[in-house]
Amino acid sequence: MAPLQLAVIIGSTRAGRMADRIADWFVEQARRHDELAVTVVDLAGYDFPARFPAEPTPAMRSFVRQVSRAEAFAVVTPEYNHSFPASLKQAIDYAYDEWQAKPVGFVSYGCGSVGMHAVDQLRTVFTALHAVTVRDVVGVDLLDGELTGQVAEQLRQGARVLLDELCWWGLALREGRAARPYVS
């Protein structure tokens, strides 16, 4: 069976962001999973317009192609003001049908809340797009300091659970879409 195409989407575009470090760590975990082929989609690498244009730009088309090719997603997101970054919402809105009947998992980070407010908001958005959000989340508390010792082991275990869930749902939904195309 062909490996599941997992896109790891880095949702922050801020200078000095923690997303790079956390995404690199998560991608390393994902690449150890035999059933996955991992692609990184870093929103900071796209030249998206400041306003939503009437016609899609080349950057928007490129992003939508990445979403279309993927069979599952892991969204790496910070929590800003009890929600997720505007850059991530803008990118999510560029695609529509491409998200449908595909699983989405979350790797979130924040101080104290581990980014769960952002995840709660994103679940609502992805449900409206007919995506399937998985239950477990990898949440990183930036107040914990270095990702070492027991904290690192707990996060690795959480990543394994999340990746297993994404694999199960991704493969099941792949078979489902092949047997009966999804129509919303």
Side-chain angles (χ1 to χ4, degrees), residues 70 73 100 118 122 128 138 178:
F73 307 94
Q100 293 180 355
L122 283 165
V138 176

Side-chain angles (χ1 to χ4, degrees), residues 11-14 43 76-80 83-92 109 118 122:
S12 174
T13 59
R14 287 189 180 182
L43 298 185
V76 178
T77 184
E79 180 179 314
Y80 297 151
S83 191
F84 57 94
S87 56
L88 180 54
K89 178 64 165 99
Q90 181 184 36
I92 291 168
Y109 58 96
L122 283 165

Side-chain angles (χ1 to χ4, degrees), residues 5 28-29 38 52 65 96 107 112 118-119 128 132 144 174 180 183:
Q5 300 298 311
E28 179 183 324
Q29 307 307 305
V38 181
F52 207 100
R65 279 192 302 274
Y96 184 77
V107 178
V119 170
V132 176
D144 277 344
R174 174 200 280 172
R180 183 176 186 177
V183 180

